[in-house]
Amino acid sequence: MTVKLTNQKAWFLVAPVVVLVAFNAVIPLMTVVNYSVQESFGNNIFFWEGVKWFEEVLHSERFAASLMRQIFFTSVILLIEIPFGVAIALSMPRKGPWVSVCLVLMALPLLIPWNVVGAMWNIFSLPDIGLLGKALNSLGIGYDYTQEPISAWFTVILMDVWHWTSLVVLLAFAGLSSIPEAYYHAAKIDGASPWAIVRYIELPKMKRVLIIAFLLRFMDSFMIYTEPFVLTGGGPGNATTFLSIDLVKVALGQFDLGPAGAISLIYFLIILLTCWLFYTLTMKDEAQ
Amino acid sequence: MSKINLRELKHSYLENPSRDEDWALKGMDIEWSDGGAYALLGPSGCGKTTLLNIISGLLVPSHGRVLFGDEDVTDTPPERRNIAQVFQFPVVYDTMTVYDNLAFPLRNRGVPDKEIDPRVREIAQMLDLEEMLLSKAAGLTADAKQKISLGRGLIRSDVNAILFDEPLTVIDPHLKWILRSKLKEIHRQVGSTMIYVTHDQTEAMTFADQVVVMHEGMVVQVGTPIELFEKPQHTFVGHFIGSPGMNVLPCEFDSGVPRFAGHSIETASTSRPAAGYSRLEFGVRPEFVSFCPDGIPVEIVKVNDVGRYRIVDTRAGDARIQILVPEGESVSLGRAQVQFDPAHTQIYADGWIVAEASS
């Protein structure tokens, strides 16, 4: 008689998770993979194309241009929002009744739906009736985000900074609040200057939350769609057509499911790879 | 180097203290002599850390003055006070190396590099940190980090006093002993005043020449460990120091003689307390209570063997008397008679000792 040592019944316990992950990640992703290697002319008839769409996308000037715009946009907003957010968090009060006032004020932009943010800035920036647009023009600055690429970029970046710097502030503030009082006391006794306190105590203690802030802002801004779509629609011309806006044009405007699938996968891999590289490199020193 | 003088010091964390409980420090005058090793002993919340922070300048007292030598430093910020402080949790600058950590206080004060280097090496040698000088401070063990915190204090040659705020809290027990001996050794080497805050009487007794006992925002006694043991100035000191603590028993005066449970008792206090007290007690340590055939009758209710001696729990009426009995002496539950050693029995009025006539 043999004794069965392994019990396979435990697989049933994992089943709900497998089903959940399948429906929310694997199946949609595989659909995209499926489209990316086939050609379709409608009527649900598909032809096998192999890696043709991938080659086409990677050699396409249009993809390269929207990717460059995307990279530029993300770099600019990260360069502004991270230092700016840290600076605001550092200058916020740490104790007393004003803390909650500041935190609520900071959280407000985060509570506004994205398309509303786009619509708000659209109206706010209109050169003829918007407060910002009218004000800039009356100062003699030729500003029209519907016509000029520079104005459009300025508005999109300003909008993102307004909408999302708060997230960096809140995370940085959480990091700052967790620094024990003794560090500040020791720094005082050691005669440290205010800058040395920021440099050697506050920034190192904020490192982990800033990595999270950076990753969140990187991913979100790299995938940004709703706000610029509502604000500029990707224009003027293609000036603010970021990757996601371009992707939607390809997938839903032109109904090119194959190339759209290929773009989606490349897009996804870029984000995944960047996050992984960034996280691994920054956390390298923190083995313990 | 100079002595530290605290004059009429009072502190409250509230803006308008009105009641007695509003004061974290209820008024004290202490002089810390130059080069002394002091322990500041008391339970959590008695104001030890407040007092320490006032000395280092992290807090400005609501009342009173802080003098270093003849100089009034009450309003001088900590960085200009020549004080070093080591905190309960080790503070190191994570991104710096051990070397840079030690050099930091000197660099902040604009000391030239060629003077810093030999000093850092000297301190590192004193604290056995030489081998890790070039490693990052972040990854070190708690005791090494605490040594770095101490090193940042020692590195300045102008330091008047080094203050320790329960520095061994996060250190493993077997390392505590080593670090404590290290501290004593350093005290002998550098000779600066050291004030060591703790709630652990063993730590206080082994470290300090003078122990300052605090209770509810007051200094109740300053003395050598032996003085605290033999002549507690306050019943709190009797309770808090010694294991088990002093027996504090109610008594009354009857025609000039203190009486307990109907028996007159002999004490070291030769004077009578001034009138106006609400509570009269006498205190005698378990070490100075012994069995004797014609003493005060008690009921032995429990005997605890704690190794080298036994703690005998007895009752005389409602009062509980503990007695230390050396190993080997036989004790059985039931009736017995005890006596108190008159030389070590003191009278306390409202908690405070009744002074002898001679002093």
Side-chain angles (χ1 to χ4, degrees):
Chain A
M1 203 175 84
T2 54
V3 181
K4 200 178 162 195
L5 286 173
T6 46
N7 184 340
Q8 303 289 350
K9 279 181 194 145
W11 288 109
F12 287 110
L13 300 176
V14 197
V17 176
V18 172
V19 171
L20 193 73
V21 172
F23 273 96
N24 81 19
V26 179
I27 293 175
L29 190 67
M30 288 320 289
T31 322
V32 176
V33 172
N34 194 28
Y35 287 143
S36 72
V37 290
Q38 305 195 61
E39 167 75 289
S40 167
F41 299 106
N43 291 335
N44 245 358
I45 304 162
F46 287 91
F47 305 91
W48 175 256
E49 290 285 10
V51 294
K52 179 184 158 191
W53 301 130
F54 288 92
E55 285 173 346
E56 203 179 287
V57 167
L58 288 175
H59 290 105
S60 133
E61 275 178 27
R62 174 176 164 184
F63 177 77
S66 53
L67 178 63
M68 285 321 288
R69 282 192 287 269
Q70 187 66 67
I71 291 173
F72 182 70
F73 173 75
T74 295
S75 312
V76 170
I77 66 104
L78 281 176
L79 280 174
I80 297 174
E81 287 174 17
I82 301 281
F84 190 37
V86 170
I88 294 178
L90 285 174
S91 49
M92 267 168 67
R94 306 275 163 85
K95 278 186 219 148
W98 288 103
V99 174
S100 16
V101 175
C102 287
L103 288 177
V104 169
L105 281 178
M106 279 297 140
L108 278 179
L110 299 174
L111 302 176
I112 300 172
W114 297 8
N115 53 350
V116 177
V117 171
M120 272 168 56
W121 279 82
N122 186 313
I123 297 165
F124 180 55
S125 313
L126 280 173
D128 43 1
I129 57 164
L131 181 64
L132 176 70
K134 182 103 185 178
L136 285 176
N137 278 304
S138 61
L139 287 174
I141 302 163
Y143 169 86
D144 184 356
Y145 74 92
T146 61
Q147 300 294 325
E148 283 174 327
I150 291 179
S151 302
W153 269 91
F154 171 77
T155 318
V156 171
I157 285 169
L158 192 64
M159 172 179 68
D160 199 79
V161 168
W162 174 81
H163 195 185
W164 288 111
T165 304
S166 299
L167 181 74
V168 182
V169 174
L170 295 183
L171 285 167
F173 187 76
L176 281 176
S177 316
S178 69
I179 301 176
E181 196 74 13
Y183 277 84
Y184 293 103
H185 287 169
K188 254 191 200 170
I189 287 169
D190 288 340
S193 64
W195 165 243
I197 291 175
V198 173
R199 167 71 184 79
Y200 295 114
I201 296 175
E202 295 181 319
L203 283 180
K205 292 280 169 202
M206 277 195 284
K207 185 180 169 192
R208 280 160 188 269
V209 288
L210 286 183
I211 288 171
I212 302 291
F214 182 92
L215 284 176
L216 285 175
R217 282 316 299 134
F218 166 74
M219 288 189 285
D220 271 355
S221 68
F222 212 78
M223 296 188 282
I224 193 167
Y225 176 75
T226 317
E227 298 144 283
F229 181 76
V230 176
L231 181 67
T232 64
N238 278 331
T240 55
T241 301
F242 302 129
L243 262 186
S244 60
I245 295 178
D246 204 25
L247 174 62
V248 171
K249 279 185 185 165
V250 174
L252 302 177
Q254 303 159 218
F255 220 72
D256 283 335
L257 292 185
I263 294 176
S264 300
L265 287 179
I266 294 168
Y267 198 172
F268 169 61
L269 287 176
I270 292 173
I271 293 178
L272 197 67
L273 190 70
T274 313
C275 289
W276 177 76
L277 270 179
F278 179 76
Y279 192 78
T280 317
L281 291 177
T282 49
M283 297 303 273
K284 197 174 58 187
D285 299 339
E286 311 224 350
Q288 77 278 14
Chain B
M1 299 263 177
S2 50
K3 63 181 185 223
I4 298 171
N5 235 319
L6 306 179
R7 297 229 178 113
E8 294 167 15
L9 198 70
K10 279 176 102 176
H11 187 72
S12 173
Y13 288 99
L14 306 176
E15 275 182 32
N16 296 306
S18 49
R19 296 166 308 158
D20 204 30
E21 304 93 275
D22 292 347
W23 294 93
L25 294 180
K26 292 176 183 155
M28 58 182 67
D29 284 88
I30 323 178
E31 187 175 299
W32 315 78
S33 65
D34 185 24
Y38 292 93
L40 201 50
L41 180 67
S44 302
C46 71
K48 295 169 300 197
T49 301
T50 305
L51 180 57
L52 209 63
N53 288 345
I54 287 176
I55 298 175
S56 62
L58 292 168
L59 272 178
V60 176
S62 347
H63 270 280
R65 315 305 303 165
V66 180
L67 304 174
F68 286 7
D70 297 324
E71 190 192 351
D72 187 333
V73 294
T74 316
D75 300 309
T76 311
E79 64 272 20
R80 289 200 272 121
R81 270 197 193 194
N82 302 342
I83 284 281
Q85 191 166 355
V86 178
F87 298 90
Q88 191 168 9
F89 297 98
V91 174
V92 294
Y93 303 104
D94 290 341
T95 50
M96 294 187 202
T97 60
V98 175
Y99 186 102
D100 291 335
N101 259 281
L102 292 177
F104 191 59
L106 295 183
R107 287 183 182 151
N108 287 331
R109 286 171 174 79
V111 177
D113 273 351
K114 63 176 191 297
E115 283 172 42
I116 292 178
D117 189 67
R119 188 75 189 146
V120 168
R121 291 183 193 282
E122 185 190 338
I123 297 298
Q125 191 193 5
M126 202 187 274
L127 294 168
D128 307 320
L129 290 170
E130 286 159 303
E131 278 149 40
M132 46 183 94
L133 266 182
L134 295 178
S135 37
K136 276 261 171 79
L140 300 176
T141 55
D143 61 304
K145 286 185 180 175
Q146 201 58 304
K147 280 195 207 169
I148 296 172
S149 312
L150 172 60
R152 285 205 318 272
L154 293 170
I155 195 100
R156 289 156 51 198
S157 47
D158 58 347
V159 159
N160 259 329
I162 305 176
L163 313 179
F164 298 90
D165 192 357
E166 306 191 25
L168 302 182
T169 310
V170 294
I171 309 296
D172 284 345
H174 70 284
L175 290 172
K176 274 189 187 179
W177 191 83
I178 300 176
L179 266 183
R180 212 155 52 208
S181 335
K182 194 84 209 170
L183 281 181
K184 276 239 91 160
E185 188 189 317
I186 286 169
H187 180 251
R188 274 192 299 272
Q189 274 181 33
V190 301
S192 53
T193 313
M194 290 193 179
I195 302 175
Y196 188 107
V197 161
T198 177
H199 56 248
D200 179 335
Q201 51 167 306
T202 324
E203 248 175 66
M205 301 294 190
T206 49
F207 175 78
D209 310 329
Q210 290 276 311
V211 179
V212 177
V213 185
M214 286 188 67
H215 176 51
E216 290 179 351
M218 282 181 293
V219 169
V220 285
Q221 186 168 5
V222 182
T224 62
I226 290 174
E227 284 166 356
L228 297 182
F229 182 78
E230 294 196 335
K231 190 148 286 183
Q233 297 295 303
H234 190 275
T235 50
F236 173 77
V237 180
H239 277 304
F240 196 68
I241 287 169
S243 175
M246 188 169 70
N247 296 302
V248 178
L249 304 162
C251 68
E252 62 212 16
F253 266 88
D254 186 13
S255 53
V257 182
R259 295 177 77 85
F260 166 67
H263 294 257
S264 66
I265 44 174
E266 278 185 69
T267 68
S269 312
T270 48
S271 65
R272 294 194 51 175
Y277 54 83
S278 61
R279 184 163 45 101
L280 196 65
E281 290 154 321
F282 73 100
V284 56
R285 290 200 176 271
E287 287 84 350
F288 304 118
V289 185
S290 55
F291 292 109
C292 118
D294 51 357
I296 297 163
V298 295
E299 177 88 19
I300 300 178
V301 292
K302 200 171 158 197
V303 179
N304 281 324
D305 199 330
V306 291
R308 281 178 295 131
Y309 51 83
R310 278 168 296 171
I311 301 169
V312 180
D313 233 329
T314 69
R315 297 281 183 278
D318 291 337
R320 174 175 182 232
I321 306 173
Q322 288 188 307
I323 307 167
L324 276 198
V325 176
E327 216 173 15
E329 204 171 299
S330 77
V331 181
S332 51
L333 296 187
R335 292 181 175 285
Q337 273 102 39
V338 296
Q339 64 175 11
F340 308 121
D341 177 355
H344 293 100
T345 305
Q346 288 99 9
I347 304 274
Y348 295 90
D350 290 339
W352 294 94
I353 195 167
V354 176
E356 302 98 284
S358 58
S359 67

